[in-house]
Amino acid sequence: MSENTGVSEERQLVVFDLNEEAYGVDISAVREIIRMQEITRVPRAPEFIEGVINLRGKVIPVVDLRSRFSMPGTERTDEHRIVVVDVGGQDIGMVVDAVTEVSRIPSSSIEPPSTVITTNDSEYLTGIVKSEEKLIILLDIAKVISDSEQVQLSEVQQLPDSAAA
Amino acid sequence: MQLADDITSEDLKVFLEEAEEQLQLLDDEVIRLEKETTEDGLAGIFRAAHTLKGSSAMLGYTAMTEVAHAMESLLDKLRNHEVSVTSEVVDALLHSLDVLRVLTDELIDEQGVEVDFASLVAELEACMGIEASDSSDAGSSASIAITDENLASISQALDAGETVYQLNASVTGDEMFASIRLFQLTTELSDGARLIVANPTLDDIQAEANGKSFTAIVGSDKSIDDLTQIAIGVQDIGEVSVVPFDADSAKATQAAAPAAAAAPAQAASAAGGASDSPKKAVAQTIRIDVDRLDNLMNLIGELVIDRTRLQQIGRSLAAKYKADDLIESLGKTSSHVVKVVNDLQEDFMKVRMLPVGTVFSSFPRMMRDLSKSLDKPIDLQIEGGDTEIDRTVIEKISDPLVHMLRNALDHGLESKEDRVAAGKPAEGIIKLSAFHEQNHIVLTVQDDGAGIHPEKIKASFVKKGLITEETASRLTDSEAVDLIWMAGASTKEQATEVSGRGVGMDIVKSNIEAINGFVEVESTPGEGSIFTARLPLTLATVQSILVETDGTLCAVPLAYVLEAVKLSPSEISTISGREVFRLREDVIPLISLSEATGLTDGKRNMEDELHVVVARVGDRLAGFAVDELNEPQEIVVKSLGEYVGGARGVSGASILGDGRVVLIMDIPTLLSGVGMRSRKSSIADEKPMLESELSEIAELEREIKEIQELREQKAARTSEQAEDAA
């Protein structure tokens, strides 16, 4: 598929694993990919924010993507990476299970997400790439982060209900 | 509001910066004018008004130009002793400044304010006694003097294949703008052609020693039409003629020239001599965007971290491979790097420093107005304006200082009559001083007023229901005076519009504490009060003690740390469900730091000795239990960014030499959390938090005193002293 040198548009994706699924983000949003390092917890920060790390002298927040997507937690391995993305001018790290490849895909192979997934909370899912081997779920990383605040809010709002029930 | 068409936002920014500078200068000088009138002072004011007029005209901001022009006319009269400096004149000038400020602000936020120019101009003109009328040599034709030097330039131009032209032009518009237009014309010509000589010269124009006509000799490869277009392109320039210049005829006129050239030159030296001096001063400084400085600061911060890391690596290598030549030279190099980085950091800190006087400069005007409206004459004395302090701190101290000064005038000083009755001079003294003390800047505001009467304060607090009479009776005098820092405090019977609606001093205090500062008051009834604020020199770094709690490394700013103590379990008692311990005279609530921050639920081993950091913010004390204490060190403050920045109890982060991230504890917030907790657990009632806290603490104190009294006191003291010594 990547031999496509024709006129059709291509997109370059950073593909990573999360809970045994493949996700892709546009390479232009990714600043760098670093190995796991010690993460300093921040008290009373939003729950999906695992803490902060030192990125060459800058303190940046790190989001646990598994927790962000309400996936079960997992033991950290050597494969784990922090994908540093630029969201509205701020660097934010995302913990992923592994970064598998940087792949070039023709825009034509991207299908809208609605045909495959139906959730009301999927604004950050921008499409699905079907390749021979697997499905790659495309993420709009800015939305993943910015929606988080709303997620946080709705969680808080749900608390009294669940307590009552 | 209408501006010239081709004004970019960059132009506007430059203009605003300059206008702010000139307005500030005007403020200072006009206030000083009232005290004593000096030639220099007047010249300074005139220059500033003139600059404003010029730059606003460049911008096409007519409203501002008109006001500045009217001011300038009055100032000119003052300068020539045609009008003398009276209180009305100063009022009129200050009024103009206010209007100019409104106009400047208008540029920023475009509120569309209406400014009554007519009455202002009338006010200014009234001061002049007569209608203002400008007299400058409008009609005189400009001739041109050719020097040998010019002739050399002419031959150069000819050698370069250019044609030499004589260009005549005149200003058609308002004479007020003549120098501006000619300045623009000169600049355009210099850009588009080789400007050999001009009359009036650029210096003349800047000194406003010009009429409406302009003559220049230019060399250019452009055609006559092109040059004419350049000249006509400038606003208000008309009657442009460009003719080829005849160098020979120039020589002929050379003889007659000196006389013609001398006149404007002299005029220039009169006004221009003065305008030279600020130019020289400006040349020695440059403006730098604050963001750039911050960026540099970040980079240096990274270097500082790497420096420490480099040192550590060097040491490990030295330990591993002893007596290796390479290691030795690595050691030498790294220690040199360390030294350079240290110097760099230190010097760069100085770059960010500003004299605190930049904040002070607006105070004389403010206090003058206030003293007039309250009818309390004052002598405002300002000392130590050149004391330097980091930009970040400067931004934060202005509001608290304004409030402290207003408070001193409004509440501190008695009325004129009362002062005289008390045998004091009618004019009160308020003294603002700044000085360095160790790693702090100390700011004091002192008045020679009535001072704060502990009994009056107590009575007022009891009356307002903020404290009970019983509590009041237990307060010492100095504790009573400290009540002014609390919300709802206002000792004056009548709140004035100036200061004192019972909000204020508590805000002063919290503002100062928010930047790791500390403020206190001392007062002698009948003699006055002195407010002392102690602030860190910079907010970019903070001296902190590193502590470990529940596996997390945290930094506690040293400014809040009273002391660090070690407690054995027997020294901890429990009162109404809370753990407390005694430190000399105080009973202090004890809480684990990890619990206070919300990192954990704070369960700890009850058997072990505890490290406790005793922190104080104002009158709130608490002991934070930690697992480990390290040496204090200076750390670089970094922001946590917007996604985690809101975390309560954490004010920022820092990166240590080994690359680890530490969180900087927001001690004021954590301490107020402890206070909240006490309220919730003991008193369901919402309102009188102060009262409940005060009485609770007092209650605790009494209980403990009774129990422990003599039995433990002596033993405790000796053991604590021993710890202090250790």
Side-chain angles (χ1 to χ4, degrees):
Chain A
M1 42 159 193
S2 56
E3 286 92 75
N4 187 350
T5 50
V7 282
S8 76
E9 280 180 44
E10 277 188 339
R11 283 182 65 184
Q12 247 183 310
L13 300 178
V14 172
V15 182
F16 55 84
D17 281 350
L18 204 61
N19 203 22
E20 288 163 18
E21 290 170 323
Y23 288 82
V25 294
D26 202 280
I27 200 163
S28 62
V30 177
R31 288 185 89 95
E32 59 190 296
I33 297 161
I34 55 176
R35 291 181 172 278
M36 283 304 291
Q37 50 172 292
E38 198 187 326
I39 298 177
T40 304
R41 284 182 299 160
V42 179
R44 298 198 179 96
E47 189 158 332
F48 58 88
I49 293 205
E50 191 168 336
V52 290
I53 56 163
N54 164 18
L55 180 70
R56 286 189 312 279
K58 238 160 71 186
V59 177
I60 68 164
V62 174
V63 171
D64 181 358
L65 263 199
R66 272 179 175 261
S67 134
R68 170 67 185 85
F69 294 146
S70 312
M71 294 169 179
T74 178
E75 192 90 343
R76 294 279 152 84
T77 66
D78 267 2
E79 292 287 291
H80 276 88
R81 292 288 181 278
I82 297 173
V83 179
V84 180
V85 293
D86 178 351
V87 177
Q90 193 185 344
D91 290 346
I92 293 181
M94 304 187 303
V95 180
V96 301
D97 293 356
V99 173
T100 46
E101 59 179 331
V102 174
S103 97
R104 222 177 259 275
I105 52 135
S107 296
S108 56
S109 70
I110 301 173
E111 290 178 18
S114 52
T115 58
V116 191
I117 314 170
T118 46
T119 65
N120 48 6
D121 183 33
S122 54
E123 242 189 79
Y124 48 78
L125 299 180
T126 55
I128 305 287
V129 181
K130 280 182 181 165
S131 75
E132 291 122 41
E133 314 104 65
K134 55 186 173 185
L135 292 179
I136 302 170
I137 304 165
L138 279 188
L139 294 178
D140 178 343
I141 209 62
K143 286 221 173 79
V144 171
I145 304 294
S146 62
D147 285 356
S148 304
E149 271 169 56
Q150 290 160 16
V151 171
Q152 195 71 10
L153 267 179
S154 63
E155 275 169 9
V156 171
Q157 278 158 358
Q158 275 160 19
L159 274 181
D161 298 348
S162 57
Chain B
M1 180 186 47
Q2 288 254 309
L3 296 183
D5 295 336
D6 52 351
I7 299 301
T8 64
S9 64
E10 189 60 28
D11 292 342
L12 203 59
K13 211 168 115 189
V14 170
F15 170 75
L16 286 172
E17 275 173 12
E18 187 181 61
E20 183 45 47
E21 205 171 82
Q22 300 298 341
L23 282 172
Q24 195 54 63
L25 200 101
L26 281 168
D27 254 354
D28 294 351
E29 293 289 342
V30 172
I31 297 281
R32 197 175 306 158
L33 197 63
E34 198 172 33
K35 284 194 177 156
E36 56 169 340
T37 309
T38 63
E39 295 290 327
D40 279 356
L42 273 172
I45 302 174
F46 185 84
R47 241 174 3 240
H50 180 69
T51 310
L52 274 178
K53 175 177 133 185
S55 47
S56 60
M58 280 285 226
L59 210 63
Y61 196 13
T62 331
M64 194 158 186
T65 315
E66 276 172 23
V67 176
H69 180 68
M71 266 183 90
E72 204 188 58
S73 308
L74 172 57
L75 287 166
D76 195 40
K77 293 248 185 290
L78 292 174
R79 212 166 49 161
N80 297 332
H81 306 291
E82 289 168 43
V83 173
S84 54
V85 179
T86 61
S87 182
E88 288 77 37
V89 167
V90 173
D91 280 341
L93 288 173
L94 287 175
H95 185 193
S96 322
L97 288 184
D98 291 339
V99 171
L100 286 174
R101 268 195 203 284
V102 170
L103 289 170
T104 322
D105 292 346
E106 174 68 12
L107 276 180
I108 303 166
D109 46 42
E110 303 192 31
Q111 293 288 312
V113 282
E114 290 290 322
V115 179
D116 184 4
F117 296 108
S119 73
L120 173 62
V121 173
E123 189 182 348
L124 287 166
E125 279 171 356
C127 292
M128 289 185 253
I130 39 159
E131 291 292 306
S133 70
D134 259 6
S135 57
S136 69
D137 48 346
S140 75
S141 72
S143 60
I144 202 145
I146 304 293
T147 63
D148 289 342
E149 210 175 303
N150 298 147
L151 285 173
S153 305
I154 290 175
S155 10
Q156 255 177 34
L158 291 171
D159 289 347
E162 295 170 354
T163 317
V164 178
Y165 303 99
Q166 173 161 2
L167 182 145
N168 295 303
S170 62
V171 181
T172 54
D174 194 329
E175 182 187 311
M176 210 164 85
F177 298 108
S179 42
I180 314 297
R181 300 308 173 213
L182 291 181
F183 180 82
Q184 284 172 305
L185 176 62
T186 312
T187 322
E188 289 292 325
L189 284 175
S190 318
D191 288 347
R194 184 199 298 261
L195 184 65
I196 294 164
V197 61
N199 179 32
T201 65
L202 200 56
D203 284 348
D204 292 344
I205 294 170
Q206 277 171 343
E208 230 183 318
N210 59 277
K212 293 176 87 169
S213 57
F214 176 85
T215 305
I217 306 298
V218 296
S220 174
D221 50 9
K222 292 190 170 69
S223 69
I224 289 181
D225 277 353
D226 286 345
L227 282 176
T228 312
Q229 281 311 316
I230 291 179
I232 287 186
V234 177
Q235 209 180 335
D236 287 348
I237 296 289
E239 296 170 34
V240 177
S241 71
V242 181
V243 291
F245 180 70
D246 182 357
D248 293 335
S249 72
K251 278 176 192 156
T253 47
Q254 204 175 357
Q266 257 170 11
S269 67
S275 72
D276 277 352
S277 48
K279 251 192 258 163
K280 273 175 205 150
V282 166
Q284 287 165 13
T285 59
I286 52 168
R287 285 179 195 281
I288 303 174
D289 195 321
V290 165
D291 285 347
R292 286 197 192 171
L293 280 186
D294 288 348
N295 263 342
L296 272 176
M297 187 65 209
N298 275 339
L299 291 174
I300 291 173
E302 285 177 39
L303 259 186
V304 170
I305 291 160
D306 286 345
R307 167 201 73 187
T308 319
R309 217 180 284 180
L310 195 62
Q311 260 178 319
Q312 284 165 352
I313 295 170
R315 272 199 291 267
S316 328
L317 280 175
K320 207 168 172 186
Y321 309 100
K322 286 179 193 108
D324 187 305
D325 281 355
L326 268 176
I327 298 294
E328 197 175 311
S329 68
L330 174 71
K332 272 185 193 158
T333 315
S334 91
S335 63
H336 184 247
V337 169
V338 168
K339 187 182 169 299
V340 171
V341 171
N342 286 348
D343 289 355
L344 183 64
Q345 189 189 16
E346 207 169 290
D347 280 2
F348 193 72
M349 282 298 188
K350 283 185 201 145
V351 170
R352 294 164 50 100
M353 297 286 216
L354 288 174
V356 73
T358 53
V359 174
F360 292 178
S361 55
S362 65
F363 294 160
R365 168 74 193 276
M366 175 193 86
M367 294 301 270
R368 172 194 184 267
D369 291 354
L370 189 58
S371 113
K372 272 200 161 183
S373 75
L374 291 172
D375 193 26
K376 287 184 180 175
I378 53 155
D379 176 14
L380 177 65
Q381 302 174 354
I382 296 184
E383 273 178 11
D386 53 356
T387 311
E388 290 198 322
I389 182 171
D390 193 86
R391 193 183 65 73
T392 45
V393 185
I394 288 247
E395 286 167 3
K396 309 272 181 168
I397 59 168
S398 179
D399 286 354
L401 274 180
V402 165
H403 211 98
M404 277 155 77
L405 284 170
R406 289 182 161 188
N407 185 72
L409 180 50
D410 195 19
H411 298 310
L413 292 184
E414 318 90 324
S415 69
K416 245 188 329 196
E417 295 73 24
D418 288 355
R419 286 185 66 89
V420 174
K424 294 182 187 178
E427 192 180 63
I429 297 174
I430 292 178
K431 193 164 147 191
L432 168 64
S433 26
F435 54 93
H436 282 150
E437 200 178 86
Q438 289 161 351
N439 252 336
H440 286 85
I441 182 167
V442 181
L443 297 163
T444 62
V445 174
Q446 186 171 13
D447 66 65
D448 69 342
I452 301 166
H453 290 266
E455 293 311 320
K456 270 193 198 167
I457 285 248
K458 283 188 201 174
S460 142
F461 267 67
V462 171
K463 208 170 124 196
K464 284 183 197 151
L466 291 166
I467 55 171
T468 63
E469 258 179 74
E470 201 204 342
T471 315
S473 65
R474 275 205 299 264
L475 294 174
T476 66
D477 281 0
S478 78
E479 280 167 345
V481 170
D482 280 339
L483 287 174
I484 62 154
W485 299 113
M486 288 175 181
S490 184
T491 50
K492 237 187 165 192
E493 288 76 26
Q494 285 265 303
T496 64
E497 62 174 291
V498 184
S499 57
R501 228 169 244 297
V503 289
M505 294 319 272
D506 58 321
I507 291 174
V508 168
K509 193 177 171 68
S510 56
N511 281 353
I512 287 175
E513 280 168 358
I515 53 170
N516 295 352
F518 181 70
V519 62
E520 61 190 347
V521 58
E522 267 175 71
S523 184
T524 317
E527 286 174 29
S529 314
I530 176 163
F531 289 82
T532 307
R534 211 172 289 270
L535 302 162
L537 285 181
T538 174
L539 300 182
T541 64
V542 57
Q543 278 286 339
S544 298
I545 183 162
L546 293 181
V547 300
E548 211 176 303
T549 178
D550 201 36
T552 306
L553 204 55
C554 302
V556 179
L558 216 50
Y560 302 121
V561 178
L562 205 59
E563 61 189 286
V565 296
K566 220 182 216 179
L567 291 180
S568 66
S570 68
E571 286 172 280
I572 302 164
S573 358
T574 311
I575 290 174
S576 49
R578 286 200 304 171
E579 285 184 318
V580 295
F581 65 100
R582 270 186 67 93
L583 185 66
R584 289 180 286 276
E585 301 304 310
D586 291 309
V587 177
I588 300 171
L590 176 69
I591 183 167
S592 115
L593 184 58
S594 56
E595 187 189 347
T597 54
L599 277 170
T600 60
D601 56 8
K603 289 197 186 88
R604 60 177 161 78
N605 193 337
M606 302 298 285
E607 314 276 291
D608 293 350
E609 273 199 331
L610 274 183
H611 289 285
V612 175
V613 176
V614 183
R616 179 176 86 163
V617 177
D619 52 352
R620 280 165 194 259
L621 277 172
F624 292 105
V626 298
D627 300 334
E628 216 164 291
L629 276 172
N630 296 309
E631 285 295 299
Q633 58 173 280
E634 189 165 23
I635 57 174
V636 179
V637 179
K638 309 235 166 202
S639 152
L640 275 172
E642 58 181 301
Y643 292 101
V644 282
R648 228 176 81 93
V650 178
S651 64
S654 184
I655 294 171
L656 297 183
D658 58 8
R660 274 190 297 174
V661 179
V662 291
L663 299 175
I664 303 170
M665 296 291 106
D666 178 1
I667 296 296
T669 307
L670 290 180
L671 272 181
S672 70
V674 174
M676 294 292 279
R677 203 155 293 163
S678 83
R679 183 169 60 131
K680 263 191 220 157
S681 62
S682 56
I683 296 166
D685 184 6
E686 263 292 286
K687 209 198 81 199
M689 165 170 165
L690 285 175
E691 194 262 347
S692 72
E693 266 169 31
L694 280 173
S695 63
E696 195 183 347
I697 297 263
E699 189 74 15
L700 292 176
E701 219 146 58
R702 213 167 36 134
E703 270 179 50
I704 297 269
K705 255 180 199 157
E706 277 167 14
I707 303 163
Q708 296 190 323
E709 205 82 17
L710 290 159
R711 184 160 55 95
E712 269 183 32
Q713 210 164 352
K714 228 175 187 177
R717 257 190 207 166
T718 40
S719 77
E720 275 161 4
Q721 274 163 2
E723 270 166 22
D724 286 354

